[in-house]
Amino acid sequence: MPGHPIPNRLAEFACTLVSAVRVDSRERACIDREVRTHLEDSWTELRRCGLDEDEARRAAVESFGNPREIATELAAVHSAGTWRDAFLTSLPHLLVALLLTAYFRNSPECAIAFALAAGIGVVHVVKHRAPAWSFSWLGYWLLPVVLVAFMLLGATRWWGLAGLAYTPVALFVIVYVIQRTASRDLLYVSLMLAPWVVVTAWCVATHNLSDLQHGMVNDYGLHGYGRDMVGTFVALAISSFVFARVRPRWAKALALLVPLAMVFGYITFRCCETLAPWGCLVSAVALVLVSVPTVREFWE
């Protein structure tokens, strides 16, 4: 009996149970192995006691308990990250806050600390092959892809043509990364794109349309809101930290969306005198798009 494969119906039960566990697909694969091993051990032991295959299968399933309750318990066990995972999830936001501090205060110490911490983070991402906490980093890595597209489209002559050729490539890369991320977990999509809302809101609040089209940085406008900008990225760091640590998925969703909405509201209120209606609309659309993956999962 040992090593004997479990019957198809037991395998179907395991598949149905595991598919109901709403966690990272990598974690789901581990859970699938655990469930199948448990069912196989139980079924094998019952067969040794003299039960036929069908009786052993029914008894193994019954001993496993209520599938919904088991799925909920498994999700709770496998959803919460360690303190280290939570720190690494929040680290890119803290690094951006540190980089902004170095920029506004002309602090070489902050710049050096940023470079060292960023290097450590990148090494961990590569070493662990895209762990769950790496998606908050990925959002920042995709930002240059978008910014270059806007800068090229606003350029003239040959650079403008380059922008037309580059934009479809950039769009393909972004869509591909989002699809791959969604295949792991829809919540990771919102986690990954959360910085885009804050960056978009600050860009449209401190720059006019002409500046954005030509890739010009309004240094005066940025310095006027230096502390506020640093604070919003610290808020993102806290939000990501909580997201990584809490267990229930509804709590993870709230940890992502509520602080993000509050940051959006704060920027809109703080910059109400300089924020044009089109800028407010663009920021609101960015917030909605980033929230859709998380809302969609619970809507379904």
Side-chain angles (χ1 to χ4, degrees), residues 8-95:
N8 289 337
R9 290 187 179 180
L10 276 184
E12 291 173 2
F13 172 80
C15 183
T16 302
L17 173 62
V18 173
S19 64
V21 182
R22 303 168 80 177
V23 292
D24 183 338
S25 60
R26 291 187 179 180
E27 291 290 338
R28 193 178 296 117
C30 295
I31 294 173
D32 182 71
R33 288 192 294 270
E34 292 176 11
V35 170
R36 288 173 184 269
T37 299
H38 178 83
L39 285 172
E40 181 178 356
D41 291 343
S42 179
W43 179 78
T44 302
E45 185 62 31
L46 290 168
R47 289 281 286 144
R48 284 175 177 168
C49 293
L51 276 67
D52 62 32
E53 288 194 6
D54 287 338
E55 290 176 339
R57 174 183 57 79
R58 286 193 294 268
V61 170
E62 290 174 0
S63 67
F64 208 77
N66 185 295
R68 290 186 178 180
E69 294 179 358
I70 297 299
T72 301
E73 292 175 4
L74 288 172
V77 170
H78 289 268
S79 292
T82 63
W83 290 104
R84 173 179 169 276
D85 292 337
F87 171 72
L88 290 171
T89 303
S90 64
L91 183 57
H93 307 302
L94 294 175
L95 289 176

Coordinates of all heavy atoms in Angstrom, one line a residue, residues 8-95:
N8 N -8.9 8.7 -8.1 CA -9.2 9.9 -8.8 C -10.1 10.8 -8.0 O -10.0 12.0 -8.0 CB -9.8 9.6 -10.2 CG -8.7 9.0 -11.1 OD1 -7.5 9.2 -10.9 ND2 -9.1 8.2 -12.1
R9 N -11.1 10.2 -7.4 CA -12.1 11.0 -6.6 C -11.5 11.8 -5.5 O -11.9 12.9 -5.1 CB -13.2 10.1 -6.1 CG -14.1 9.6 -7.3 CD -15.3 8.9 -6.7 NE -16.2 8.4 -7.8 CZ -17.3 7.7 -7.6 NH1 -17.7 7.5 -6.4 NH2 -18.1 7.4 -8.6
L10 N -10.5 11.1 -4.8 CA -9.8 11.8 -3.8 C -8.9 12.9 -4.3 O -8.8 14.0 -3.8 CB -8.9 10.8 -3.0 CG -9.5 10.0 -1.9 CD1 -8.5 9.2 -1.2 CD2 -10.2 10.9 -0.9
A11 N -8.3 12.7 -5.5 CA -7.5 13.7 -6.2 C -8.4 14.9 -6.6 O -8.0 16.0 -6.4 CB -6.8 13.1 -7.4
E12 N -9.6 14.6 -7.0 CA -10.6 15.7 -7.4 C -11.0 16.5 -6.1 O -11.1 17.7 -6.2 CB -11.8 15.1 -8.0 CG -11.5 14.5 -9.4 CD -12.7 13.7 -10.0 OE1 -13.8 13.7 -9.3 OE2 -12.6 13.2 -11.1
F13 N -11.2 15.7 -5.0 CA -11.5 16.4 -3.8 C -10.4 17.4 -3.4 O -10.6 18.5 -3.0 CB -11.8 15.4 -2.7 CG -12.0 16.0 -1.3 CD1 -13.2 16.6 -0.9 CD2 -10.9 16.0 -0.4 CE1 -13.3 17.2 0.3 CE2 -11.1 16.6 0.9 CZ -12.3 17.2 1.2
A14 N -9.2 16.9 -3.4 CA -8.0 17.7 -3.1 C -7.9 18.9 -4.0 O -7.6 20.0 -3.5 CB -6.7 16.9 -3.2
C15 N -8.1 18.7 -5.3 CA -8.0 19.8 -6.2 C -9.1 20.9 -6.0 O -8.8 22.1 -6.0 CB -8.2 19.3 -7.7 SG -8.0 20.5 -8.9
T16 N -10.3 20.4 -5.7 CA -11.4 21.4 -5.4 C -11.1 22.1 -4.1 O -11.4 23.3 -4.0 CB -12.7 20.6 -5.2 OG1 -13.0 19.9 -6.4 CG2 -13.9 21.5 -4.9
L17 N -10.6 21.4 -3.1 CA -10.3 22.1 -1.8 C -9.2 23.1 -2.0 O -9.4 24.3 -1.5 CB -9.9 21.0 -0.8 CG -9.4 21.5 0.6 CD1 -10.5 22.3 1.3 CD2 -8.9 20.4 1.4
V18 N -8.2 22.8 -2.6 CA -7.0 23.7 -2.8 C -7.4 24.9 -3.6 O -6.9 26.0 -3.4 CB -5.8 22.9 -3.4 CG1 -4.7 23.9 -3.7 CG2 -5.3 21.8 -2.4
S19 N -8.2 24.7 -4.7 CA -8.6 25.8 -5.5 C -9.4 26.8 -4.8 O -9.5 28.0 -5.2 CB -9.4 25.3 -6.7 OG -10.6 24.7 -6.3
A20 N -10.0 26.4 -3.6 CA -10.8 27.4 -2.8 C -10.0 28.2 -1.9 O -10.5 29.1 -1.2 CB -11.9 26.6 -2.1
V21 N -8.7 27.8 -1.7 CA -7.8 28.5 -0.8 C -7.2 29.7 -1.6 O -6.4 29.5 -2.5 CB -6.6 27.6 -0.3 CG1 -5.7 28.3 0.6 CG2 -7.2 26.3 0.3
R22 N -7.6 30.9 -1.1 CA -7.2 32.1 -1.9 C -5.9 32.6 -1.3 O -5.8 33.5 -0.4 CB -8.3 33.1 -1.7 CG -9.6 32.6 -2.3 CD -10.8 33.4 -1.9 NE -10.9 34.6 -2.8 CZ -11.9 35.5 -2.7 NH1 -12.9 35.3 -1.8 NH2 -12.0 36.5 -3.6
V23 N -4.8 32.1 -1.9 CA -3.4 32.5 -1.5 C -2.6 32.6 -2.8 O -3.1 32.3 -3.9 CB -2.8 31.6 -0.5 CG1 -3.5 31.6 0.8 CG2 -2.8 30.1 -1.0
D24 N -1.4 33.0 -2.6 CA -0.4 33.0 -3.7 C -0.3 31.6 -4.3 O -0.4 30.6 -3.6 CB 1.0 33.3 -3.1 CG 2.1 33.5 -4.1 OD1 2.0 32.9 -5.2 OD2 3.1 34.1 -3.8
S25 N -0.3 31.5 -5.7 CA -0.3 30.3 -6.4 C 0.9 29.4 -5.9 O 0.8 28.1 -6.0 CB -0.2 30.5 -7.9 OG 1.0 31.2 -8.3
R26 N 2.0 30.0 -5.6 CA 3.2 29.2 -5.1 C 2.8 28.5 -3.8 O 3.1 27.3 -3.5 CB 4.4 30.0 -5.0 CG 5.0 30.5 -6.3 CD 6.3 31.2 -6.1 NE 6.9 31.6 -7.4 CZ 8.0 32.2 -7.5 NH1 8.8 32.5 -6.4 NH2 8.5 32.6 -8.7
E27 N 2.2 29.3 -2.9 CA 1.7 28.7 -1.6 C 0.7 27.6 -1.9 O 0.6 26.6 -1.2 CB 1.2 29.8 -0.7 CG 2.2 30.8 -0.2 CD 3.1 30.1 0.8 OE1 2.7 29.1 1.4 OE2 4.2 30.6 1.0
R28 N -0.2 27.8 -2.9 CA -1.2 26.9 -3.2 C -0.6 25.5 -3.6 O -1.2 24.5 -3.3 CB -2.1 27.4 -4.3 CG -3.5 26.6 -4.4 CD -4.4 27.2 -5.5 NE -4.8 28.6 -5.1 CZ -4.5 29.7 -5.7 NH1 -3.8 29.6 -6.8 NH2 -5.0 30.8 -5.3
A29 N 0.5 25.6 -4.3 CA 1.1 24.3 -4.8 C 1.6 23.5 -3.6 O 1.5 22.3 -3.5 CB 2.3 24.6 -5.7
C30 N 2.1 24.3 -2.6 CA 2.6 23.6 -1.3 C 1.4 23.0 -0.6 O 1.5 21.9 0.0 CB 3.3 24.6 -0.4 SG 4.9 25.2 -1.2
I31 N 0.3 23.8 -0.5 CA -0.9 23.3 0.2 C -1.4 22.0 -0.5 O -1.9 21.1 0.1 CB -1.9 24.4 0.2 CG1 -1.5 25.6 1.1 CG2 -3.3 23.9 0.7 CD1 -2.4 26.8 1.0
D32 N -1.4 22.0 -1.9 CA -1.9 20.9 -2.6 C -1.1 19.6 -2.3 O -1.7 18.5 -2.1 CB -1.7 21.2 -4.1 CG -2.3 20.0 -5.0 OD1 -3.5 19.9 -5.0 OD2 -1.5 19.3 -5.6
R33 N 0.2 19.7 -2.1 CA 1.0 18.6 -1.8 C 0.7 18.1 -0.3 O 0.6 16.9 -0.1 CB 2.5 18.9 -1.9 CG 3.0 19.1 -3.3 CD 4.5 19.1 -3.3 NE 5.1 20.3 -2.7 CZ 5.3 21.5 -3.3 NH1 5.0 21.6 -4.6 NH2 5.8 22.5 -2.7
E34 N 0.5 19.1 0.6 CA 0.1 18.7 1.9 C -1.2 18.0 2.0 O -1.3 16.9 2.7 CB 0.1 20.0 2.8 CG 1.4 20.6 3.0 CD 1.3 21.9 3.8 OE1 0.2 22.2 4.3 OE2 2.3 22.7 3.9
V35 N -2.2 18.5 1.3 CA -3.5 17.9 1.3 C -3.5 16.5 0.7 O -4.1 15.5 1.3 CB -4.5 18.8 0.6 CG1 -5.9 18.1 0.4 CG2 -4.8 20.1 1.3
R36 N -2.8 16.4 -0.4 CA -2.8 15.0 -1.1 C -2.0 14.0 -0.2 O -2.4 12.9 -0.1 CB -2.1 15.2 -2.5 CG -3.0 15.9 -3.5 CD -2.2 16.1 -4.8 NE -3.0 16.8 -5.7 CZ -3.8 16.3 -6.6 NH1 -3.9 15.0 -6.7 NH2 -4.5 17.0 -7.5
T37 N -1.0 14.5 0.4 CA -0.2 13.6 1.3 C -1.1 13.1 2.5 O -1.1 11.9 2.8 CB 1.1 14.3 1.8 OG1 1.9 14.6 0.7 CG2 1.8 13.3 2.8
H38 N -1.8 14.1 3.1 CA -2.7 13.7 4.2 C -3.8 12.7 3.8 O -4.1 11.7 4.5 CB -3.3 15.0 4.7 CG -4.3 14.7 5.9 ND1 -3.9 14.6 7.2 CD2 -5.6 14.6 5.9 CE1 -4.9 14.4 7.9 NE2 -6.0 14.4 7.2
L39 N -4.4 13.0 2.6 CA -5.5 12.1 2.1 C -4.9 10.7 1.8 O -5.5 9.7 2.1 CB -6.1 12.7 0.9 CG -7.1 13.9 1.1 CD1 -7.5 14.5 -0.2 CD2 -8.3 13.4 1.9
E40 N -3.7 10.7 1.2 CA -3.1 9.4 0.8 C -2.8 8.6 2.1 O -3.1 7.4 2.1 CB -1.9 9.6 0.0 CG -1.2 8.3 -0.4 CD 0.0 8.6 -1.3 OE1 0.4 9.7 -1.6 OE2 0.7 7.6 -1.7
D41 N -2.2 9.3 3.1 CA -1.9 8.5 4.3 C -3.2 8.0 5.0 O -3.2 6.9 5.5 CB -1.2 9.5 5.3 CG 0.2 9.8 4.8 OD1 0.7 9.1 3.9 OD2 0.8 10.8 5.3
S42 N -4.2 8.8 5.0 CA -5.5 8.4 5.6 C -6.1 7.3 4.9 O -6.6 6.3 5.5 CB -6.4 9.6 5.7 OG -7.7 9.2 6.3
W43 N -6.1 7.4 3.6 CA -6.8 6.4 2.7 C -6.0 5.0 2.8 O -6.6 4.0 2.9 CB -6.8 6.9 1.3 CG -7.4 5.9 0.3 CD1 -8.7 5.6 0.1 CD2 -6.6 5.0 -0.6 NE1 -8.8 4.7 -0.9 CE2 -7.6 4.3 -1.4 CE3 -5.3 4.9 -0.9 CZ2 -7.2 3.4 -2.3 CZ3 -4.9 3.9 -1.8 CH2 -5.9 3.2 -2.6
T44 N -4.7 5.1 2.8 CA -3.8 3.9 2.9 C -4.0 3.2 4.3 O -4.2 2.0 4.3 CB -2.3 4.3 2.8 OG1 -2.1 4.9 1.5 CG2 -1.5 3.1 2.9
E45 N -4.1 4.0 5.3 CA -4.3 3.4 6.7 C -5.7 2.7 6.8 O -5.8 1.7 7.4 CB -4.2 4.5 7.7 CG -4.3 4.0 9.2 CD -3.2 3.1 9.5 OE1 -2.0 3.2 8.9 OE2 -3.4 2.2 10.3
L46 N -6.7 3.3 6.2 CA -8.1 2.8 6.2 C -8.1 1.5 5.4 O -8.8 0.5 5.7 CB -9.1 3.8 5.7 CG -9.3 5.0 6.6 CD1 -10.1 6.1 5.9 CD2 -10.1 4.5 7.8
R47 N -7.4 1.5 4.3 CA -7.3 0.3 3.4 C -6.6 -0.9 4.2 O -7.1 -2.0 4.1 CB -6.6 0.5 2.1 CG -7.3 1.4 1.2 CD -8.4 0.7 0.4 NE -7.8 -0.2 -0.6 CZ -8.2 -1.4 -0.9 NH1 -9.3 -1.9 -0.3 NH2 -7.6 -2.1 -1.8
R48 N -5.7 -0.5 5.0 CA -5.0 -1.6 5.8 C -5.9 -2.1 6.9 O -5.8 -3.3 7.3 CB -3.8 -1.0 6.5 CG -2.6 -0.7 5.6 CD -1.5 0.0 6.4 NE -0.3 0.1 5.5 CZ 0.7 0.9 5.8 NH1 0.7 1.6 7.0 NH2 1.8 1.0 5.1
C49 N -6.9 -1.3 7.3 CA -7.9 -1.8 8.3 C -9.0 -2.6 7.7 O -9.9 -3.1 8.4 CB -8.5 -0.6 9.0 SG -7.3 0.4 10.0
G50 N -8.9 -2.9 6.4 CA -9.9 -3.8 5.7 C -11.0 -3.1 4.9 O -11.8 -3.8 4.4
L51 N -11.0 -1.8 4.9 CA -12.1 -1.1 4.1 C -11.7 -1.2 2.6 O -10.6 -1.2 2.2 CB -12.2 0.3 4.5 CG -13.1 0.7 5.7 CD1 -12.4 0.1 7.0 CD2 -13.3 2.2 5.9
D52 N -12.8 -1.3 1.8 CA -12.6 -1.3 0.4 C -12.3 0.1 -0.1 O -12.3 1.1 0.7 CB -13.7 -1.9 -0.4 CG -15.0 -1.1 -0.2 OD1 -15.0 0.1 -0.1 OD2 -16.1 -1.8 -0.3
E53 N -11.9 0.3 -1.4 CA -11.5 1.6 -1.9 C -12.5 2.7 -1.7 O -12.2 3.8 -1.2 CB -11.1 1.5 -3.4 CG -9.8 0.8 -3.6 CD -9.3 1.0 -5.0 OE1 -9.9 1.8 -5.8 OE2 -8.3 0.3 -5.4
D54 N -13.8 2.4 -2.0 CA -14.8 3.4 -1.9 C -15.1 3.8 -0.4 O -15.3 5.0 -0.1 CB -16.1 2.9 -2.5 CG -16.1 2.9 -4.1 OD1 -15.2 3.7 -4.6 OD2 -16.8 2.2 -4.7
E55 N -15.2 2.8 0.4 CA -15.4 3.1 1.9 C -14.2 3.9 2.4 O -14.4 4.8 3.2 CB -15.5 1.8 2.6 CG -16.8 1.1 2.3 CD -16.9 -0.3 3.0 OE1 -15.8 -0.8 3.4 OE2 -18.0 -0.8 3.2
A56 N -13.0 3.5 2.1 CA -11.8 4.2 2.5 C -11.8 5.6 2.0 O -11.4 6.6 2.8 CB -10.5 3.5 2.1
R57 N -12.2 5.8 0.8 CA -12.3 7.2 0.2 C -13.2 8.1 1.0 O -12.9 9.2 1.4 CB -12.6 7.1 -1.2 CG -12.8 8.5 -1.9 CD -13.3 8.4 -3.3 NE -14.5 7.6 -3.4 CZ -15.7 8.1 -3.2 NH1 -15.9 9.3 -2.8 NH2 -16.8 7.3 -3.4
R58 N -14.5 7.5 1.2 CA -15.5 8.3 1.9 C -15.0 8.6 3.3 O -15.2 9.8 3.8 CB -16.8 7.6 1.9 CG -17.5 7.6 0.6 CD -19.0 7.1 0.8 NE -19.0 5.7 1.2 CZ -19.1 4.6 0.3 NH1 -19.1 4.9 -1.0 NH2 -19.1 3.4 0.8
A59 N -14.4 7.7 4.0 CA -14.0 7.9 5.4 C -12.8 8.9 5.4 O -12.8 9.7 6.4 CB -13.5 6.5 6.0
A60 N -11.9 8.8 4.4 CA -10.8 9.8 4.4 C -11.3 11.2 4.2 O -10.8 12.2 4.9 CB -9.9 9.4 3.3
V61 N -12.3 11.4 3.3 CA -12.9 12.7 3.1 C -13.6 13.2 4.3 O -13.5 14.4 4.7 CB -13.8 12.7 1.9 CG1 -14.6 14.0 1.7 CG2 -13.0 12.4 0.6
E62 N -14.4 12.3 5.0 CA -15.1 12.7 6.2 C -14.2 13.1 7.3 O -14.5 14.1 8.0 CB -16.1 11.6 6.6 CG -17.2 11.4 5.6 CD -18.0 10.2 6.0 OE1 -17.7 9.5 7.0 OE2 -19.0 9.8 5.3
S63 N -13.1 12.4 7.4 CA -12.2 12.7 8.5 C -11.4 14.0 8.3 O -10.9 14.6 9.2 CB -11.1 11.6 8.6 OG -10.3 11.5 7.5
F64 N -11.4 14.4 7.0 CA -10.7 15.7 6.7 C -11.5 16.9 7.2 O -10.9 17.9 7.5 CB -10.5 15.8 5.2 CG -9.3 16.5 4.8 CD1 -8.1 16.0 4.9 CD2 -9.4 17.8 4.3 CE1 -6.9 16.7 4.5 CE2 -8.3 18.6 4.0 CZ -7.0 18.0 4.0
G65 N -12.8 16.8 7.3 CA -13.6 17.9 7.8 C -14.3 18.7 6.7 O -14.3 18.3 5.6
N66 N -14.9 19.8 7.2 CA -15.7 20.6 6.2 C -14.7 21.3 5.3 O -13.8 22.1 5.7 CB -16.5 21.7 7.0 CG -17.4 22.5 6.1 OD1 -16.9 23.3 5.3 ND2 -18.7 22.4 6.3
P67 N -14.9 21.2 3.9 CA -13.9 21.8 3.0 C -13.8 23.3 3.1 O -12.7 23.8 3.0 CB -14.5 21.4 1.6 CG -15.3 20.1 1.9 CD -15.9 20.4 3.3
R68 N -14.9 24.0 3.3 CA -14.9 25.4 3.4 C -14.1 25.9 4.6 O -13.3 26.8 4.6 CB -16.3 26.0 3.5 CG -17.1 25.9 2.1 CD -18.4 26.6 2.2 NE -19.1 26.5 0.9 CZ -20.3 27.1 0.7 NH1 -20.9 27.7 1.7 NH2 -20.9 26.9 -0.4
E69 N -14.4 25.2 5.8 CA -13.6 25.6 7.0 C -12.1 25.3 6.8 O -11.3 26.0 7.3 CB -14.2 24.8 8.2 CG -15.6 25.2 8.5 CD -16.2 24.4 9.7 OE1 -15.4 23.5 10.2 OE2 -17.3 24.7 10.1
I70 N -11.8 24.1 6.2 CA -10.4 23.7 6.0 C -9.7 24.8 5.1 O -8.6 25.2 5.4 CB -10.3 22.3 5.4 CG1 -10.9 21.3 6.4 CG2 -8.9 22.0 5.1 CD1 -10.2 21.3 7.7
A71 N -10.4 25.2 4.0 CA -9.9 26.1 3.1 C -9.6 27.5 3.8 O -8.5 28.1 3.6 CB -10.8 26.4 1.9
T72 N -10.5 27.9 4.7 CA -10.3 29.1 5.4 C -9.1 29.0 6.3 O -8.3 29.9 6.5 CB -11.6 29.5 6.2 OG1 -12.7 29.6 5.3 CG2 -11.4 30.8 7.0
E73 N -9.0 27.9 7.0 CA -7.9 27.7 8.0 C -6.6 27.6 7.2 O -5.6 28.2 7.7 CB -8.1 26.4 8.8 CG -9.3 26.4 9.7 CD -9.5 25.1 10.4 OE1 -8.7 24.2 10.2 OE2 -10.5 25.0 11.1
L74 N -6.5 27.0 6.1 CA -5.3 26.9 5.3 C -4.9 28.3 4.8 O -3.7 28.6 4.8 CB -5.5 25.9 4.2 CG -5.5 24.4 4.5 CD1 -5.9 23.6 3.3 CD2 -4.2 23.9 5.0
A75 N -5.9 29.0 4.3 CA -5.6 30.4 3.8 C -5.0 31.2 5.0 O -4.0 32.0 4.7 CB -6.8 31.0 3.3
A76 N -5.6 31.1 6.2 CA -5.1 31.9 7.3 C -3.7 31.5 7.7 O -2.8 32.4 8.0 CB -6.0 31.7 8.5
V77 N -3.4 30.2 7.6 CA -2.0 29.8 8.0 C -1.0 30.2 7.0 O 0.1 30.6 7.4 CB -2.0 28.2 8.1 CG1 -0.6 27.7 8.3 CG2 -2.9 27.8 9.3
H78 N -1.3 30.2 5.7 CA -0.3 30.5 4.7 C -0.3 31.9 4.2 O 0.5 32.2 3.3 CB -0.6 29.5 3.5 CG -0.2 28.1 3.8 ND1 1.0 27.5 3.5 CD2 -0.9 27.1 4.3 CE1 1.0 26.3 3.9 NE2 -0.1 26.0 4.4
S79 N -1.2 32.8 4.7 CA -1.3 34.1 4.2 C -0.3 35.1 4.8 O 0.2 36.0 4.2 CB -2.7 34.6 4.3 OG -3.6 33.9 3.5
A80 N -0.1 34.9 6.1 CA 0.7 35.9 6.8 C 2.2 35.7 6.5 O 2.7 34.6 6.6 CB 0.4 35.8 8.3
G81 N 2.9 36.8 6.2 CA 4.3 36.7 6.0 C 5.1 36.9 7.3 O 4.5 37.3 8.3
T82 N 6.3 36.6 7.3 CA 7.2 36.8 8.5 C 7.4 38.3 8.7 O 7.1 39.1 7.8 CB 8.5 36.1 8.4 OG1 9.2 36.6 7.3 CG2 8.2 34.6 8.2
W83 N 8.0 38.7 9.9 CA 8.4 40.1 10.1 C 9.4 40.5 9.0 O 9.4 41.6 8.6 CB 9.0 40.2 11.5 CG 8.0 40.1 12.6 CD1 7.8 39.0 13.4 CD2 7.0 41.1 13.0 NE1 6.7 39.3 14.2 CE2 6.2 40.5 14.0 CE3 6.7 42.4 12.5 CZ2 5.2 41.2 14.6 CZ3 5.6 43.0 13.1 CH2 4.9 42.5 14.2
R84 N 10.3 39.6 8.6 CA 11.3 39.9 7.6 C 10.6 40.2 6.3 O 11.0 41.1 5.6 CB 12.3 38.7 7.5 CG 13.2 38.8 6.3 CD 14.2 37.6 6.3 NE 15.0 37.6 5.1 CZ 14.5 37.0 3.9 NH1 13.3 36.5 3.9 NH2 15.3 37.0 2.9
D85 N 9.6 39.3 5.9 CA 8.9 39.6 4.7 C 8.2 40.9 4.7 O 8.1 41.6 3.7 CB 7.8 38.4 4.5 CG 8.5 37.1 4.2 OD1 9.6 37.1 3.7 OD2 7.8 36.1 4.5
A86 N 7.6 41.2 5.8 CA 6.9 42.5 5.9 C 7.8 43.7 5.8 O 7.5 44.7 5.1 CB 6.1 42.6 7.3
F87 N 9.0 43.6 6.4 CA 10.0 44.7 6.2 C 10.4 44.8 4.8 O 10.5 45.9 4.3 CB 11.2 44.4 7.1 CG 12.3 45.3 6.9 CD1 12.3 46.7 7.3 CD2 13.5 44.9 6.2 CE1 13.3 47.5 7.0 CE2 14.5 45.8 6.0 CZ 14.4 47.1 6.4
L88 N 10.7 43.7 4.1 CA 11.2 43.8 2.7 C 10.0 44.3 1.8 O 10.3 44.9 0.8 CB 11.6 42.4 2.3 CG 13.0 41.9 2.9 CD1 13.3 40.5 2.6 CD2 14.1 42.8 2.5
T89 N 8.8 44.0 2.2 CA 7.7 44.5 1.4 C 7.6 46.0 1.5 O 7.3 46.7 0.5 CB 6.3 43.9 1.8 OG1 6.4 42.4 1.7 CG2 5.2 44.3 1.0
S90 N 7.9 46.5 2.6 CA 7.8 48.0 2.8 C 9.0 48.7 2.4 O 9.0 49.9 2.2 CB 7.4 48.3 4.3 OG 8.5 47.9 5.1
L91 N 10.1 48.0 2.3 CA 11.4 48.6 2.1 C 11.5 49.5 0.8 O 12.1 50.6 0.9 CB 12.5 47.6 2.0 CG 14.0 48.1 1.8 CD1 14.3 49.0 3.0 CD2 14.9 46.9 1.8
P92 N 10.9 49.2 -0.3 CA 11.1 50.1 -1.5 C 10.4 51.4 -1.3 O 10.9 52.4 -1.7 CB 10.4 49.3 -2.6 CG 9.5 48.3 -2.0 CD 10.2 47.9 -0.7
H93 N 9.3 51.5 -0.5 CA 8.7 52.7 -0.3 C 9.5 53.6 0.7 O 9.6 54.8 0.5 CB 7.3 52.5 0.4 CG 6.4 51.6 -0.4 ND1 6.1 51.8 -1.7 CD2 5.8 50.4 -0.1 CE1 5.3 50.8 -2.2 NE2 5.1 50.0 -1.2
L94 N 10.2 52.9 1.6 CA 11.1 53.6 2.5 C 12.3 54.2 1.8 O 12.8 55.2 2.1 CB 11.5 52.7 3.7 CG 10.4 52.3 4.7 CD1 11.0 51.3 5.6 CD2 9.8 53.5 5.4
L95 N 12.7 53.4 0.8 CA 13.9 53.8 0.0 C 13.5 55.0 -0.8 O 14.3 55.9 -1.0 CB 14.3 52.7 -0.9 CG 15.0 51.5 -0.3 CD1 15.3 50.4 -1.3 CD2 16.3 51.9 0.4

